[in-house]
Amino acid sequence: MDGHAEDRGRVYQASGDQHISEHHHYGDEASTPGGPDSVRRPAVGRPPVVLRDRVEVLDRLKAGVRAGRGGEAFVLYGMGGCGKTAVAYTFFQAAINECGRVGLWVSASDRASLRAGMLAVAADRGARDGELLAARNGLRAASDLVWHYLDRSAQPWLLVLDNADQPEILRDGSWLRTSPGGTVVVTTRRSAARWWPGAELQHIGVLPSEDAARVLRDLAPHSGTQEEAERIAERLGRLPLALTLAGGFLSQQVLDPWTLEAYGRRLDEDERERVGLIDQGADALSPQDPRHMVGLTWQLTLDAFEARGLPEATALLRLLARFAPEPLPLVLLNRPEIDAALPRARCEAALRALLDQSLTELVDVGARCAQSHGVLLDSVAAATPAASVPVLDTTAVRLLDVGFPALPDAGPHDPLLRLLVPHALALLRRVDDPPTSADTLAVATRLAVALHRTGDYVSAWETARAAADIGERKLGAEHRSVLAAHSRAGRALFRLGRYAEAEALLERVRAAQNRLFGADDSDTLDSAHGLQLVLGNLGRQDDALALLRSVVVGRGRTLGPTHPLTLRSRSSLLVLLSASEVVAEEDGALLDLPSECDRLLGPDHTVTLGAHHNRAWALYLSGRFDEADQEIRQVTEAYRRRLGPDYPTALSAQQLLSRTRAALGHVKAGAELMTDVVARREHSLGPDHPFTVAGRELLSAFTSGRWRPPGAEG
């Protein structure tokens, strides 16, 4: 007899009566589902060498198991890469070795792993084969079986449910319970308390600076100093996963070992390659687990958003990734301009989803803000599809653009402005498209103007300087927006009392603007107006006056005689001209300029107040002390009411008021006013600022009897 069989077929030959019973299974044996190899050992990719920080959390966890208590459930939550599993692993080892607990470890990352792992737990605690088979075949409630044997365990236990980022899996199967026989610990990215009724939530965040540096040195002890390690740790946002990967990379280099300093330079060279550099520390011999690489770990959550029908959450996270890892005012996310990236009506749900997944958090820094981790944002930005980037960039620019006034005016300190600075600079670094880069730079420069006009000259200078430097690399040194940013930096340097630096910068910028755009260009005239202020304070009155006259003419010709900038430059003539020149200027009409400003701009306009301030100075110089005193008293009160007593212009007006008081014979009152001015300037500008020094000299003249009013010095 001939027989033939293929693949897994069989041929039987028999004589006599035979009974053959055979079970056939078709498919790949390797794909047959099975349980975990062990529930007694944690399934972690890379156990921590030493767990840094986390002392309070571990003490709280250990307190329960040491006392022999049961019935507790702890949820360790936080963003991906913060070391939740590392904390659970360390606690797991302590519970076994120090407290005599039976340790049980189950992956809860998906339904199949959770079910298989929990049934393996039941088997470990004494469940019989028939019971397990019935549970696997759906003939018996699987979770009831597991918890039946956990409740009746003769030994106290610790059960860890790791990576439970889909808590609905636990809820739907009723897998998460408590038992007097042991303690449950869950690690998850999901922070909403509604998922964890009855459990104690413990947030796992980034590490303190010193401990973060020690993680690097634990892994690569010879790569650099503690101080260098702290700098790299800050650059990595003190995220445990990033620190572990960086330390692993440094420890793996054999032929050409890297130092921490070299690693830091590479991190700063190209933000697009930053995430790839960090992920080089992953163990090349182990399977690629997304949770063990910063470039992939958050993709799990983004995939979950898509599966749950929440693409807006992904879009919002990609939009946030255009900004900085600093508090971002929520008001920016509630504007119509966001519609280009995601529907405004869906922004609330998208933000809640990010909060629930620990991808961002709410912080209150005087304004309600959202804040995300820097490595997360870098990772998301690097993985954002190229086709989505232009819309995201233009949306981010528009959101910043409407976040503060289009025409910044003098005013008191506004905390919102400082919050926007890192986001404007981060966006400027991310954007590649030249027109969008120019738009972003213009917004950043206007933000510097707004800071300047609140009297925050340090922030104004830092913002303008940083924006100009970034813009120059992207757009070239002679781009209009780059020159405008440099000009604004020069204006801030002047207000900081750094006259020589301000003069050099404004001279260079004005020369370039004059060559490229012409003498009557608005940007050229703006730089010239700022430069004349510097020259006047350097004692070069003639040069300042000649330049100011050219600005008055140029602005009158291009903007018109009634434009606020033209009126402002004309009012500056009242400061630079002598008493006799003021009377002769414009056929005697210059002293009437404040009234003209009242009529054209209104009495409370900043330019109007400035014109009254300057006329009070001109009246004082001409010996008309009563008129000057009345005018500057009103200006001082208006400034203090509108801008606050510490505002630089308010202090300048108060200084002039002290002069008019003294000129009218009230020297003691003048000294009291100047004492207040000097104290406030020392606090806000510093003791060595030229304005502070000049104020101290005037106060000394008052108190020593050396002071004389104008016209009486001889």
Side-chain angles (χ1 to χ4, degrees), residues 404 408 417-418 420-421 424 442-452 463:
F404 59 102
L417 297 177
R418 282 192 184 181
L420 297 180
V421 170
V443 170
T445 303
R446 198 175 88 244
L447 182 55
V449 174
L451 288 162
H452 186 109
T463 302

Side-chain angles (χ1 to χ4, degrees), residues 224-257:
T225 66
Q226 177 72 13
E227 291 74 18
E228 290 172 330
E230 287 185 12
R231 285 195 292 271
I232 299 301
E234 289 295 333
R235 187 66 192 79
L236 296 173
R238 297 177 278 121
L239 182 71
L241 175 59
L243 296 167
T244 301
L245 291 174
F249 174 81
L250 292 169
S251 67
Q252 290 169 11
Q253 306 308 303
V254 178
L255 293 177
D256 186 17

Side-chain angles (χ1 to χ4, degrees), residues 621-636:
L621 288 182
S622 65
R624 297 161 64 178
F625 301 136
D626 279 319
E627 295 174 73
D629 186 70
Q630 292 176 18
E631 186 140 28
I632 197 59
R633 184 184 298 277
Q634 293 175 357
V635 170
T636 301

Side-chain angles (χ1 to χ4, degrees), residues 405-426:
L407 293 173
D409 196 5
H413 171 68
D414 182 355
L416 179 66
L417 297 177
R418 282 192 184 181
L419 293 175
L420 297 180
V421 170
H423 302 293
L425 297 178

Side-chain angles (χ1 to χ4, degrees), residues 108-141:
S109 60
D110 57 70
R111 295 181 188 275
S113 298
L114 174 64
R115 183 181 179 85
M118 291 296 276
L119 287 174
V121 164
D124 182 275
R125 295 295 82 207
R128 297 184 298 275
D129 290 345
E131 293 175 305
L132 294 171
L133 182 61
R136 290 191 182 101
N137 291 333
L139 301 177
R140 179 169 183 173

Side-chain angles (χ1 to χ4, degrees), residues 639-696:
Y639 278 150
R640 290 174 69 91
R641 181 177 64 252
R642 176 175 161 185
L643 307 174
D646 292 315
Y647 195 84
T649 308
L651 293 176
S652 176
Q654 185 172 325
Q655 178 168 313
L656 178 53
L657 179 60
S658 76
R659 291 179 183 272
T660 61
R661 291 278 80 203
L664 291 171
H666 308 296
V667 178
K668 183 178 179 180
E672 290 175 354
L673 288 168
M674 275 312 300
T675 299
D676 182 59
V677 169
V678 170
R680 292 181 185 277
R681 280 182 173 164
E682 286 180 343
H683 177 72
S684 59
L685 299 177
D688 299 323
H689 192 285
F691 292 175
T692 308
V693 172
R696 259 198 314 267

